[in-house]
Amino acid sequence: ALQKFATILAHRLGLCFGIGLSVAFITDATRISGIGRASCAASGSMSAPAFKQIKEVAPGFYHVRSSFKVLMGMLDVGTHMAFVRLANGNLVALDTVKLHPELKSEIDQLTENGSKLQAVIGTHPFHSLYFKDFHAAYPGPKYFGTPRHLKVLSDIPWTGETMENAKLFEPDLQMRIPAGSEYVDPKPPTSNHFCNVFVYHPASKTVFDDDCISVINNPGMILRLFGVKDGELFFHPSIKGPGLLPTKEAPQEFKTWVHKMVEDWDFDNLCTAHNANKIGGAREAVRTLITKFSKNLDKISDKNARKEPKKDCGAYDPDAKGPECG
């Protein structure tokens, strides 16, 4: 039972330790759950200091850190969304979270009751739980989603698929999806949450990302024992399993893609869904991450070339209610 609990916890934290953990996991579980609520520190002054739910991480980029509990509510891994100011003064929402009265009130103030909300964009295939309620509250903007959004949320009158319409938002926003991964139909759905749309907002030097890269802030005692450092970046654990396509080329394509993103995008901040954000120094942090992980990608390429079966690294409780993680 402890082994199963550890596997579930490792997936939900975006870490793949691949080992059994002691009873200390259970006794420390409540304190560890605070990781998911790590807030996004502001760089610079808030344009609306009364906001408590919405944080302006840089001029024109407003981030929301929301609760998302798993393991019967014992662990809060968090999720997120953002509002990005365009040059025309309107806003675009990236992803959605559960609305509650205080957050709804702040969104109404920020968007002038939705009148300034130009579009809502889904960026991760499995971040789909809150789009229906958000659309009910804000039916006016155009809605764009990943292929899976369009498939599973057919009640929403989608304008189109996110990447097929990415150029509509240039130069205010630039969008890319990781090379070497599956975006249209990721399988297995309970663990392959690797691929998502990366959105770059040049005006604020901020990148919005969901699961592909995660940041851990204020790790609990157990995580520190396993070498997790405050503010450290990680790739989603399925990178060692089904996250990358099972070809020799896929890991190298992903490596090249990350280096190209770091080269092309001059960003300071990285906002991730689970569990926190990197405010300041994010570009170098991503560069360090891909450099350190390079040999692992080479090993994955070699295994793929030998057609070795992949471990479903990152799989969580098969009894979970659906594959959604935000």
Side-chain angles (χ1 to χ4, degrees):
L2 286 175
Q3 175 68 43
K4 181 179 180 182
F5 183 89
T7 302
I8 297 168
L9 185 58
H11 167 80
R12 287 303 196 179
L13 288 177
L15 302 172
C16 190
F17 297 120
I19 58 176
L21 299 180
S22 67
V23 178
F25 247 131
I26 297 176
T27 59
D28 206 29
T30 302
R31 195 167 66 84
I32 291 175
S33 69
I35 294 171
R37 292 188 295 274
S39 64
C40 184
S43 71
S45 60
M46 287 281 293
S47 61
F51 285 174
K52 295 182 179 179
Q53 302 297 316
I54 301 175
K55 307 294 182 182
E56 187 175 20
V57 304
F61 193 99
Y62 308 86
H63 189 262
V64 179
R65 174 70 56 196
S66 182
S67 174
F68 187 76
K69 294 182 178 180
V70 297
L71 299 179
M72 297 178 291
M74 291 190 298
L75 182 67
D76 191 344
V77 298
T79 187
H80 75 158
M81 71 174 297
F83 296 89
V84 185
R85 182 80 63 186
L86 305 180
N88 63 10
N90 291 334
L91 292 151
V92 167
L94 305 174
D95 275 352
T96 58
V97 300
K98 186 176 182 179
L99 294 175
H100 54 79
E102 186 176 14
L103 175 58
K104 175 69 164 56
S105 175
E106 292 186 9
I107 294 174
D108 287 346
Q109 293 178 60
L110 181 67
T111 66
E112 298 182 19
N113 294 315
S115 65
K116 291 292 187 179
L117 191 55
Q118 182 171 314
V120 179
I121 301 175
T123 58
H124 193 292
F126 297 103
H127 285 209
S128 61
L129 289 175
Y130 307 114
F131 272 85
K132 283 187 178 180
D133 289 346
F134 198 89
H135 179 264
Y138 302 98
K142 295 181 178 180
Y143 279 72
F144 300 85
T146 70
R148 187 174 183 274
H149 283 101
L150 275 59
K151 180 180 179 181
V152 303
L153 298 173
S154 57
D155 292 342
I156 294 177
W158 300 100
T159 299
E161 197 277 318
T162 296
M163 290 306 299
E164 290 179 357
N165 293 275
K167 289 188 178 298
L168 294 176
F169 301 95
E170 294 179 355
D172 295 284
L173 300 175
Q174 298 176 29
M175 304 184 204
R176 296 182 182 182
I177 54 175
S181 64
E182 176 59 40
Y183 170 68
V184 175
D185 187 21
K187 293 180 179 179
T190 54
S191 59
N192 188 2
H193 292 196
F194 184 77
C195 186
N196 57 251
V197 180
F198 281 66
V199 184
Y200 173 47
H201 182 229
S204 66
K205 292 191 172 185
T206 303
V207 169
F208 181 90
D209 154 58
D210 292 306
D211 292 14
C212 186
I213 299 175
S214 293
V215 180
I216 301 294
N217 277 358
N218 303 315
M221 179 183 68
I222 298 299
L223 293 179
R224 292 197 303 270
L225 289 175
F226 285 92
V228 178
K229 299 177 182 178
D230 185 39
E232 194 165 2
L233 276 60
F234 297 88
F235 289 121
H236 190 273
S238 63
I239 193 172
K240 293 183 177 180
L244 294 174
L245 298 173
T247 66
K248 178 181 179 180
E249 295 77 19
Q252 304 307 318
E253 291 169 353
F254 176 70
K255 184 192 302 186
T256 300
W257 181 88
V258 176
H259 281 295
K260 181 67 172 171
M261 178 184 72
V262 171
E263 177 185 338
D264 292 347
W265 290 356
D266 181 18
F267 61 100
D268 291 332
N269 313 308
L270 175 68
C271 292
T272 75
H274 321 291
N275 311 85
N277 305 318
K278 180 70 173 176
I279 306 303
R283 190 182 191 185
E284 287 306 311
V286 174
R287 194 194 309 274
T288 298
L289 174 64
I290 190 62
T291 300
K292 287 184 176 180
F293 204 78
S294 181
K295 290 184 178 179
N296 289 305
L297 290 170
D298 294 341
K299 292 178 181 178
I300 297 171
S301 286
D302 293 340
K303 289 182 178 180
N304 289 351
R306 296 192 298 268
K307 297 185 178 179
E308 293 184 10
K310 286 178 172 286
K311 293 181 180 180
D312 193 4
C313 192
Y316 64 97
D317 191 348
D319 298 324
K321 295 181 180 179
E324 265 64 29
C325 63

